[in-house]
Amino acid sequence: MKPLLPLVVALAAAMSLSACSFGGEAGAGVDKLAYHYGPAREGWNDAEVLLTPESVAGDSFGLVWQSPQLDPYKNVPARLFASPLYVDGLDFTQGDLAGQQGPVAFVASSTGYAYAIAAGALGEKAPGEILWRRQLTASPCLDGQMGVLSTPVIDKGKGRIYVTSCTGEWLWHIHALDLQTGELVSGWPLEVSPRTITSDLNRNGATRFVEGQPYIQRGALNLSADGTRLYVAFGPDMQGWLLSVETDEPKVASAFSSMPQSDMQQGGMWGSSGPAIDAEGRIYVATGASFANALANGGIAGVFPDHDHAWGQSILQFRDSAEKGLELTGTYAPFNYCQTAASDIDIAGSGPVLFNLEDGQSSTTHLLALGAGKQGNAYLLDRDNMPGDLIRRQPCSTDGSTDGSLLAPEVQPELGTRGPVSIFGPYSDTIGMANSAKSRSTLAHFRDKDGNHFLYLSGASKTGPDFGTNVPPGLVRVQVLYEDGDHAFLRKDLVEMTQTLQNPGSPVVSSLKGENAIVWVMDPNVPRSTDLYDPAAPGARLYAFNAQDLSLIWKSGDEMRTSGKYNEPAVVNGIVLVGTDRLQAYGLRPTGFDEATLDLPVRQASASEGPSGPSLFRSRCASCHGTATAGVPPMEVIAALPRNQIISSLKGGKMREMAAGLSDAQMEAIAEALPQIAKAK
């Protein structure tokens, strides 16, 4: 990359001057210190001056700068599953930037690195220039595909960024890095293992953290208000774990396993948003189901509805204290948790979002919203009165009117009764895992200038056998309604019907005092099962929609590189930061901007008539069978199976949902190619 230094510096200066003209001060802009903008995960920046529906729709909005490509691991390219963070006015007191103040972005890559990148004019540094890099692991898990997955969190007061990494055979570490230099803070990193999660720390049963077991730390990190506790969630397929980590003298202070016994496979806390924290200090996390149980046809028995302290397919509320550690204080499980969890249609891919209504308008002021999850539903809860028991989930049910969430007064057509609101259809209790899932993103909350509360949810509606084809809507607006003195409830309000999203990340909203609101959505542009490390993987797409009517304002083109999954943009102070294999920044281009300086990719169409067997395997199968995933046979095992057995499994057996949308010829091509692929590995 060869940035045009005078031009990009002038651009950054122009943005800063524009912000000042609206009453801002240097260094007083918006920060993004955590996933979805903060501990409560609202996904909303209400102080955006420059980016309005009119300015973004104009000819000047586009890619303005980008960083160099981030470090690979051997021949594996970097991907950003972790979303970018941003500090608007970082004061440098040491190094070659001492005495300087300016905007800095922070990213962490799948290949195991953390970076600080200039996000505007910073001394002689141009936007996009790497200020520091820190290699967190020399041997990232899955051969460079799982060095860092989760979004870090920044403690601006202490000048730290916390980030996790996976090393070798599933050994995780928690790092605290100095924001200015990237150097490790004394006493860190903290190892996450049976040596640090001792038997007396788990607050739920006899489950133990097992060394070498493939836990995945994908959920974004979160911090208590005073910064003394760091919250870290693990999944996906064995049990979920929530850790409370002391930050002053690093150690695991308390832990909570979603299941009380190590042989109970449910409850992974795997969603990208991780735990949420409200202003009262209460912690919330969603738990999931078990892919392995669904593949083995374990049924409802494998969900353990009759066991005490089994908290799969639930939303859990905690208090945390030095005296008691993590204390379960509230629970919720959907009415149909038994059926959906048995089919791996779990809610955990969507994280809790916490927001408040104005006092006196409703009997339910402190709210929690979650949606849409793999089933495609949205849920609303009263945080002060969580409906579940603290010992056991309610019995299995098929009656939506028994659901403990805050229900709308009208009958839901998908259920034939009152119940949770269906956002992305068609409704099903049995089809919705893998590529058939409706959503794996966390909704965004927005309040307009008139005091109306809206939720924006991204995902995909489905059609075809086993819901194998995505169709609009992929973006839906839901209104939070209430009558004086009564509880709040949800009602579907608007749907966007022109764009087909594949596996979108979480939407975020930018506005200025409730006006000029834009909904931003980043989509990897491929189904969930696609191998994003395949050289043929396409670039991601960034969308901007008018929050008022969901009309499409703008979308990116081929200039965006291949990204990771479950990523979200950072919309801050006139720029939109997106993580791909580098950091890319969109904004309003000044007059005379030269796009030739941006080192844009050249996309070449394939000359073949269609995807080959190896290509189909990489896009549909490799994400599970090409790696060490609990309960899933490796490719060497399935390659040794008879060809007709492989085809039968794809057409109507356990793999039918992964093969949804494939023709008979394509399934045969996969079976034909498997021995060759296994041998090459």
Side-chain angles (χ1 to χ4, degrees), residues 395-681:
C396 300
S397 174
T398 59
D399 182 358
S401 68
T402 66
D403 196 88
S405 59
L406 303 176
L407 303 181
E410 64 265 20
V411 168
Q412 300 300 318
E414 297 82 3
L415 299 173
T417 66
R418 296 176 67 208
V421 178
S422 178
I423 304 299
F424 303 113
Y427 184 92
S428 175
D429 283 343
T430 57
I431 303 175
M433 63 189 288
N435 286 337
S436 299
K438 312 290 177 45
S439 176
R440 295 181 177 86
S441 66
T442 295
L443 61 83
H445 166 249
F446 167 67
R447 186 185 67 253
D448 69 14
K449 64 181 179 63
D450 297 320
N452 299 305
H453 292 260
F454 297 100
L455 309 177
Y456 295 87
L457 300 94
S458 63
S461 298
K462 301 286 182 172
T463 191
D466 292 333
F467 305 164
T469 303
N470 290 3
V471 295
L475 179 67
V476 174
R477 188 175 83 172
V478 173
Q479 188 167 9
V480 183
L481 298 171
Y482 46 87
E483 297 179 359
D484 290 343
D486 203 354
H487 69 76
F489 60 91
L490 303 178
R491 183 173 290 156
K492 191 187 295 188
D493 183 47
L494 289 174
V495 296
E496 201 291 319
M497 294 301 294
T498 70
Q499 305 298 307
T500 300
L501 305 182
Q502 295 297 329
N503 188 27
S506 300
V508 297
V509 179
S510 64
S511 64
L512 180 62
K513 298 181 180 179
E515 296 188 275
N516 292 322
I518 299 175
V519 183
W520 303 86
V521 182
M522 186 176 175
D523 186 9
N525 201 26
V526 290
R528 176 261 183 197
S529 61
T530 298
D531 179 8
L532 291 169
Y533 296 91
D534 189 328
R541 289 289 184 270
L542 176 66
Y543 296 82
F545 299 94
N546 190 318
Q548 188 172 8
D549 60 10
L550 296 192
S551 59
L552 179 68
I553 300 170
W554 175 91
K555 71 175 178 180
S556 63
D558 286 342
E559 79 281 356
M560 189 171 286
R561 307 287 180 144
T562 304
S563 182
K565 300 170 186 172
Y566 318 128
N567 204 330
E568 70 175 19
V571 186
V572 283
N573 307 321
I575 57 173
V576 183
L577 300 171
V578 295
T580 55
D581 67 345
R582 64 201 68 198
L583 183 65
Q584 299 185 275
Y586 290 81
L588 304 177
R589 294 170 168 178
T591 302
F593 184 86
D594 185 3
E595 193 175 81
T597 65
L598 290 174
D599 184 29
L600 300 179
V602 177
R603 304 285 182 189
Q604 295 182 347
S606 172
S608 63
E609 295 182 358
S612 64
S615 177
L616 288 166
F617 178 85
R618 288 194 299 269
S619 66
R620 293 290 186 131
C621 315
S623 62
C624 291
H625 294 293
T627 61
T629 303
V632 179
M635 71 170 70
E636 294 84 354
V637 172
I638 58 173
L641 297 173
R643 184 168 171 272
N644 62 346
Q645 184 176 340
I646 296 171
I647 295 171
S648 175
S649 179
L650 291 170
K651 286 185 175 181
K654 294 179 179 180
M655 293 294 101
R656 69 185 186 280
E657 292 187 35
M658 297 299 291
L662 294 178
S663 66
D664 288 353
Q666 289 173 321
M667 295 182 199
E668 291 170 2
I670 291 174
E672 186 75 28
L674 266 170
Q676 171 191 349
I677 297 168
K679 184 177 180 180
K681 184 183 180 184

Side-chain angles (χ1 to χ4, degrees), residues 126-453:
E129 190 167 344
I130 294 174
L131 305 177
W132 56 254
R133 58 165 48 82
R134 176 79 185 189
Q135 187 175 22
L136 303 173
T137 169
S139 56
C141 292
L142 294 187
D143 295 325
Q145 297 185 26
M146 200 175 289
V148 180
L149 287 185
S150 70
T151 301
V153 66
I154 291 173
D155 186 330
K156 191 175 178 181
K158 291 183 178 178
R160 297 179 181 181
I161 181 170
Y162 297 98
V163 57
T164 62
S165 69
C166 185
T167 295
E169 296 299 319
W170 304 104
L171 180 61
W172 290 87
H173 289 89
I174 305 170
H175 309 258
L177 307 179
D178 185 276
L179 286 178
Q180 297 184 44
T181 66
E183 294 297 319
L184 271 170
V185 176
S186 178
W188 300 83
L190 175 64
E191 180 182 295
V192 179
S193 73
R195 289 178 287 279
T196 54
I197 306 176
T198 54
S199 59
D200 60 316
L201 293 181
N202 184 13
R203 297 296 188 263
N204 189 42
T207 304
R208 297 292 173 258
F209 204 90
V210 179
E211 192 162 7
Q213 186 165 289
Y215 299 104
I216 295 179
Q217 206 289 292
R218 178 182 286 140
L221 308 184
N222 214 338
L223 273 173
S224 62
D226 62 4
T228 62
R229 287 288 191 275
L230 176 71
Y231 297 101
V232 187
F234 284 84
D237 210 57
M238 302 300 288
Q239 301 87 27
W241 284 86
L242 179 64
L243 307 184
S244 172
V245 176
E246 287 188 13
T247 59
D248 291 335
E249 296 183 7
K251 68 176 182 179
V252 179
S254 182
F256 189 96
S257 64
S258 60
M259 305 300 283
Q261 298 172 202
S262 296
D263 59 350
M264 299 168 73
Q265 296 187 22
Q266 286 284 321
M269 303 174 188
W270 62 270
S272 60
S273 68
I277 306 173
D278 66 15
E280 292 72 37
R282 297 173 295 193
I283 306 116
Y284 303 82
V285 69
T287 69
S290 169
F291 182 61
N293 179 66
L295 287 182
N297 294 319
I300 291 176
V303 180
F304 308 103
D306 299 324
H307 286 252
D308 291 349
H309 310 295
W311 300 117
Q313 194 74 324
S314 300
I315 299 173
L316 306 180
Q317 179 194 69
F318 298 91
R319 289 281 190 183
D320 187 19
S321 66
E323 298 76 22
K324 296 182 178 180
L326 288 168
E327 180 184 10
L328 186 66
T329 55
T331 72
Y332 164 78
F335 76 97
N336 57 349
Y337 76 91
C338 292
Q339 304 92 286
T340 53
S343 297
D344 193 39
I345 311 175
D346 60 275
I347 62 174
S350 298
V353 172
L354 317 175
F355 63 97
N356 297 337
L357 301 180
E358 292 71 17
D359 289 339
Q361 294 187 330
S362 166
S363 63
T364 52
T365 300
H366 300 150
L367 297 176
L368 178 157
L370 184 140
K374 292 182 183 178
Q375 192 173 32
N377 295 340
Y379 308 91
L380 188 69
L381 300 174
D382 179 358
R383 302 200 312 269
D384 296 331
N385 294 283
M386 296 288 285
D389 192 76
L390 297 181
I391 303 298
R392 182 185 293 189
R393 293 166 295 182
Q394 76 273 11
C396 300
S397 174
T398 59
D399 182 358
S401 68
T402 66
D403 196 88
S405 59
L406 303 176
L407 303 181
E410 64 265 20
V411 168
Q412 300 300 318
E414 297 82 3
L415 299 173
T417 66
R418 296 176 67 208
V421 178
S422 178
I423 304 299
F424 303 113
Y427 184 92
S428 175
D429 283 343
T430 57
I431 303 175
M433 63 189 288
N435 286 337
S436 299
K438 312 290 177 45
S439 176
R440 295 181 177 86
S441 66
T442 295
L443 61 83
H445 166 249
F446 167 67
R447 186 185 67 253
D448 69 14
K449 64 181 179 63
D450 297 320
N452 299 305
H453 292 260

